[in-house]
């Protein structure tokens, strides 16, 4: 299947009762018929021709016949903690959360505290808008079964999988921890005033200005060998705003510089043994690595305002594979 | 096979998680959550360890058939298998 569909092609797939995850401009999503799909707004995509911005095409992930849809559910900020209760016995949960919404912040700060959260794979992304429309429009998600559009609640498609198969979520992160200072934070959150640098308290913004850090490379934590980025939204004189929370008790370092994103991605992709079912990449990789028009291996999918591989990630490519049980 | 929750290996895994090398992304993330609980200085240490064991045990028990590398690494020849 090609990476981007016309509205007509997407409508045909929906009318064939396929289970679909759809990304595209809000105006297109609103025109889709009711069916077994969930969607989120975003106009940026990885395609077979490279990164593109499109307001007249949709990225459609067709879930194979190995999957059976269990439910499509909306979760408000207050109900997000119930997601693990709805996990299928063997399967996958796809989540799309509106960017800058209450559910976005609740999920990013607290998801790992929910009972049973890691017991089944959950993958997805944060919906967004054209960067030119920031401040003018809001990211949305849509429940395809009802056509209901949401700016605050998350939408999840829970899918069961044939018993001889299982899903695995993985990521490709080109960043790793640099050799610099160890940075910790007194509180969990996305709006940061103070931090500790090698144990010494300092205004985080002052530290960043002093180091001439502009925010194009992220903070990186080491989660038992998985490098987890936290990207910078803005740095003012007193406060620093992040795209994902930093966590109290976790040690961060500034990332080491990445040279030649495209080649690094291709090298990492060559290590991948199984063709992914779904892939998404970060808008910050698209912007900072100038990926418009550049092909990233054979991977296609939305370029998003945040990637979810269980937890919220930044500046990372996320993918899901379906594998045979041994 | 994942050992019973009373097996002392669980206490070792959750208390010294940095000493282990995990393979799958999900395990790495889950163990980070466990580490944050265990190292929380504002709550009772013993309760933290027991909570960490509950989370790790449920995760490995539920997913043992697909976490073969992590399960073998942690439990093979350690009264688990």
């Amino acid at each position: 299947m090609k990476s981007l569909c016309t509205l007509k092609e997407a409508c045909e797939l929906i009318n064939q009762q396929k289970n679909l995850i759809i990304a595209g401009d809000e105006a297109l999503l609103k025109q889709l018929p009711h069916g077994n799909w969930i969607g989120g707004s975003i106009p940026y995509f990885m395609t077979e021709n490279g990164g593109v911005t499109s307001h007249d095409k949709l990225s459609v992930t067709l879930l194979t016949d190995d999957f059976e849809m269990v439910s499509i559910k909306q979760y408000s900020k207050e109900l997000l903690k119930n997601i693990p209760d709805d996990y299928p016995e063997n399967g996958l949960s796809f989540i799309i959360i509106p960017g800058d919404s209450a559910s976005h912040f609740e999920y990013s700060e607290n998801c790992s505290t929910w009972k049973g959260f890691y017991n089944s794979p959950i993958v997805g992304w944060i919906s967004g808008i054209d960067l030119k429309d920031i401040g003018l429009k809001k990211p949305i998600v849509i429940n395809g079964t009802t056509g209901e559009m949401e700016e605050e609640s998350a939408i999840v498609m829970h899918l069961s999988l044939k018993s001889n198969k299982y899903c695995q979520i993985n990521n490709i992160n080109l960043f790793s921890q640099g050799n610099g200072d160890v940075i910790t934070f007194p509180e969990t959150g996305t709006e940061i005033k103070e931090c500790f640098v090698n144990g010494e308290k300092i205004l985080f913004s002052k530290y960043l200005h002093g180091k001439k850090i502009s925010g194009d490379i992220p903070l990186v934590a080491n989660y038992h060998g998985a490098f987890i980025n936290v990207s910078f939204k803005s740095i003012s004189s007193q406060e620093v705003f992040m795209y994902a929370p930093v966590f109290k008790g976790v040690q961060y370092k500034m990332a080491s510089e990445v040279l030649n994103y495209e080649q690094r991605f291709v090298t990492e992709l060559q290590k991948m043994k199984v063709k992914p079912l779904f892939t998404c990449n970060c808008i910050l990789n698209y912007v900072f690595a100038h990926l418009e028009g550049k092909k990233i291996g054979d991977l296609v999918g939305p370029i998003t305002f945040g990637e979810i591989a269980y937890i919220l990630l930044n500046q990372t490519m996320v993918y899901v594979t379906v594998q045979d049980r041994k | 096979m994942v050992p019973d929750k009373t097996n002392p290996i669980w206490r070792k895994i959750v208390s010294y998680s940095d000493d282990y090398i995990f393979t799958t992304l999900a395990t790495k993330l889950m163990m980070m959550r466990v580490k944050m609980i265990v190292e929380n200085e504002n709550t009772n240490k013993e309760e933290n360890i027991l909570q960490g064991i509950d989370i790790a045990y449920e995760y490995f028990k539920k997913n043992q058939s697909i976490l073969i590398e992590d399960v073998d690494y942690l439990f093979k020849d350690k009264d688990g298998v």
Side-chain angles (χ1 to χ4, degrees):
Chain A
M1 199 171 126
K2 61 185 176 179
S3 60
L4 293 182
C5 292
T6 63
L7 182 63
K8 184 167 175 273
E9 289 166 336
C11 289
E12 284 167 5
L13 287 168
I14 292 169
N15 290 332
Q16 289 166 27
Q17 312 294 318
K18 302 287 187 189
N19 297 322
L20 307 167
I21 310 295
I22 305 180
D25 191 283
E26 177 185 333
L28 293 184
L29 294 174
K30 283 169 156 174
Q31 295 176 57
L32 293 169
H34 293 184
N36 300 335
W37 61 276
I38 60 170
S41 58
I42 198 76
Y44 303 105
F45 309 97
M46 299 178 285
T47 75
E48 55 268 41
N49 300 316
V52 300
T53 306
S54 173
H55 292 276
D56 58 8
K57 296 275 177 64
L58 295 153
S59 166
V60 179
T61 301
L62 171 64
L63 298 161
T64 62
D65 293 339
D66 292 329
F67 291 96
E68 191 175 324
M69 196 181 68
V70 176
S71 62
I72 291 177
K73 289 183 97 166
Q74 285 165 241
Y75 297 88
S76 64
K77 175 191 166 191
E78 292 75 22
L79 294 178
L80 282 170
K81 62 180 182 295
N82 298 334
I83 289 176
D85 296 339
D86 298 325
Y87 281 159
E89 184 54 32
N90 172 45
L92 176 68
S93 298
F94 254 105
I95 182 167
I96 311 176
I97 306 176
D100 271 338
S101 63
S103 53
H104 179 182
F105 298 117
E106 174 65 17
Y107 189 96
S108 64
E109 286 196 19
N110 295 314
C111 67
S112 45
T113 68
W114 302 333
K115 187 171 165 49
F117 178 71
Y118 290 105
N119 291 354
S120 178
I122 180 165
V123 71
W125 46 285
I126 305 295
S127 67
I129 51 172
D130 194 312
L131 295 172
K132 288 188 286 234
D133 293 329
I134 284 181
L136 303 172
K137 286 185 176 178
K138 288 194 82 175
I140 56 111
V141 300
I142 294 193
N143 178 343
T145 54
T146 61
E148 202 174 336
M149 200 174 83
E150 266 294 334
E151 291 180 353
E152 292 299 329
S153 297
I155 188 84
V156 182
M157 182 186 277
H158 296 286
L159 298 142
S160 65
L161 190 54
K162 284 182 178 168
S163 59
N164 61 336
K165 307 266 184 189
Y166 71 96
C167 280
Q168 194 162 53
I169 299 172
N170 225 319
N171 70 331
I172 295 177
N173 184 4
L174 300 187
F175 295 100
S176 56
Q177 285 188 319
N179 296 318
D181 299 318
V182 173
I183 306 166
T184 56
F185 298 92
E187 300 298 335
T188 293
T190 53
E191 299 176 16
I192 306 164
K193 285 191 174 146
E194 289 171 328
C195 68
F196 295 95
V197 175
N198 303 322
E200 210 163 302
K201 195 186 253 192
I202 184 173
L203 265 185
F204 191 36
S205 55
K206 188 178 171 189
Y207 171 76
L208 295 171
H209 288 305
K211 290 277 181 183
K212 296 188 169 45
I213 292 166
S214 61
D216 55 345
I217 62 169
L219 282 173
V220 182
N222 184 345
Y223 283 27
H224 291 103
F227 288 119
I228 303 299
N229 304 335
V230 183
S231 299
F232 292 91
K233 198 173 198 177
S234 65
I235 304 169
S236 74
S237 60
Q238 292 295 311
E239 236 174 330
V240 180
F241 297 88
M242 312 299 290
Y243 280 109
V246 292
F247 289 93
K248 183 182 176 180
V250 174
Q251 293 189 343
Y252 296 87
K253 289 184 174 185
M254 290 305 302
S256 49
E257 244 357 291
V258 173
L259 301 171
N260 198 347
Y261 272 74
E262 287 165 86
Q263 189 50 48
R264 286 283 311 278
F265 265 122
V266 170
T267 304
E268 291 299 320
L269 292 174
Q270 283 166 349
K271 295 177 192 166
M272 202 186 283
K273 293 171 189 155
V274 187
K275 191 173 185 297
L277 167 78
F278 168 81
T279 314
C280 63
N281 200 352
C282 182
I283 186 72
L284 299 177
N285 280 340
Y286 184 75
V287 172
F288 293 135
H290 309 289
L291 294 180
E292 180 139 25
K294 292 179 186 171
K295 195 167 162 5
I296 310 167
D298 294 325
L299 294 189
V300 297
I303 294 173
T304 66
F305 279 32
E307 304 72 60
I308 295 169
Y310 296 87
I311 62 171
L312 175 65
L313 305 177
N314 290 161
Q315 279 177 274
T316 303
M317 181 186 278
V318 164
Y319 63 94
V320 184
T321 53
V322 180
Q323 304 192 43
D324 294 324
R325 283 178 190 269
K326 287 174 186 159
Chain B
M1 199 176 138
V2 172
D4 189 84
K5 214 193 286 189
T6 55
N7 190 307
I9 194 167
W10 288 108
R11 180 171 284 268
K12 200 174 154 198
I13 292 168
V14 305
S15 301
Y16 305 101
S17 60
D18 283 340
D19 294 348
Y20 294 86
I21 299 164
F22 305 109
T23 303
T24 58
L25 178 64
T27 305
K28 292 172 184 176
L29 299 177
M30 184 278 300
M31 286 307 299
M32 190 62 181
R33 170 64 189 149
V34 168
K35 182 182 171 184
M36 288 165 77
I37 291 169
V38 170
E39 292 182 355
N40 186 347
E41 291 168 355
N42 297 325
T43 45
N44 180 280
K45 180 83 176 169
E46 182 60 20
E47 285 175 13
N48 293 347
I49 290 171
L50 294 175
Q51 192 186 347
I53 291 172
D54 279 345
I55 292 170
Y57 173 80
E58 277 183 35
Y59 167 82
F60 283 111
K61 187 81 181 164
K62 164 108 180 23
N63 293 293
Q64 59 182 314
S65 64
I66 58 177
L67 297 171
I68 294 163
E69 283 179 74
D70 282 332
V71 168
D72 278 358
Y73 166 71
L74 290 170
F75 307 118
K76 200 169 184 181
D77 305 322
K78 291 170 190 142
D79 300 325
V81 176

